[in-house]
Amino acid sequence: MAMDKSNGRINYPLIMNLIFFIFGLVLVVSPRSGLTNLTVILAICLFCLTLVLVGIFFANRQKKNELFLLIAAGSLILGILMVYFREPIGTVILPIIAGAWMLVSAGTSVYAALRYRKFNAPLWWLPLVAALVAIVLAILIFFNLGATSAFLSILLGLYFLVYNAIRIGEWFTIRRHMK
């Protein structure tokens, strides 16, 4: 596990960046079935989220927080729909969601770069490179939504590879200097 040595806790952002980097490799290596497989993987994640939310609800029954059950039901329904309609979701809806996600992640990267610059961190500009990559690939996806799913899968895979490689590098350079 990736432990943060400063506080002994599991470093979830680093783990997520590693997972997304590996997923980018899969999308680039197997672009034909990449987006459809991504849809199934996301559906499995939604099923796991459903189980976790139901577990949280039953563990905290004294608080009577039905919101957990409502979100769990929504996750379950969305997961079932994603499995059933995996081809149209993978080829039409998922690229739009991915492009929007790229733009949001670019925004968080710009925010991180500005924060790092404020603290005079070395390589503070590294997140700006990640943001630029995310913006360029998002634009390519939005202007090529009619392209083949293999092309979109490769673009998404490149995003996962480059963006998360930069974020992993950022973790081991900039963030270590800020503690």
Side-chain angles (χ1 to χ4, degrees), residues 82-162:
M82 287 180 83
V83 168
Y84 188 74
F85 297 110
R86 66 183 165 271
E87 191 68 33
I89 288 175
T91 57
V92 178
I93 297 171
L94 196 57
I96 294 170
I97 293 170
W101 180 28
M102 288 177 189
L103 293 177
V104 170
S105 66
T108 61
S109 291
V110 169
Y111 174 76
L114 294 175
R115 200 175 103 228
Y116 296 153
R117 184 172 183 213
K118 178 181 168 187
F119 290 111
N120 294 322
L123 303 172
W124 62 267
W125 49 267
L126 200 55
L128 287 178
V129 174
L132 182 62
V133 167
I135 290 169
V136 167
L137 290 175
I139 290 170
L140 284 173
I141 285 177
F142 285 134
F143 285 112
N144 290 297
L145 285 174
T148 65
S149 63
F151 175 73
L152 293 173
S153 182
I154 290 171
L155 281 180
L156 191 56
L158 287 174
Y159 163 76
F160 281 133
L161 282 173
V162 175

Side-chain angles (χ1 to χ4, degrees), residues 65-87:
N65 194 348
E66 288 80 18
L67 182 62
F68 285 108
L69 282 181
L70 183 63
I71 295 171
S75 295
L76 180 63
I77 292 168
L78 186 58
I80 291 169
L81 289 173
M82 287 180 83
V83 168
Y84 188 74
F85 297 110
R86 66 183 165 271
E87 191 68 33

Side-chain angles (χ1 to χ4, degrees), residues 2-15:
M3 296 291 284
D4 190 347
K5 293 183 187 344
S6 66
N7 59 16
R9 294 185 350 204
I10 295 174
N11 193 330
Y12 291 109
L14 179 60
I15 292 170

Side-chain angles (χ1 to χ4, degrees), residues 4 7 20 22 26 34-35 47-48 60 72 80 89-90 98 105 108 115 130 134 151 164 166 169:
D4 190 347
N7 59 16
F20 284 131
I22 292 168
V26 171
L35 292 175
F47 295 145
C48 292
N60 297 322
I80 291 169
I89 288 175
S105 66
T108 61
R115 200 175 103 228
F151 175 73
N164 289 294
I166 291 170

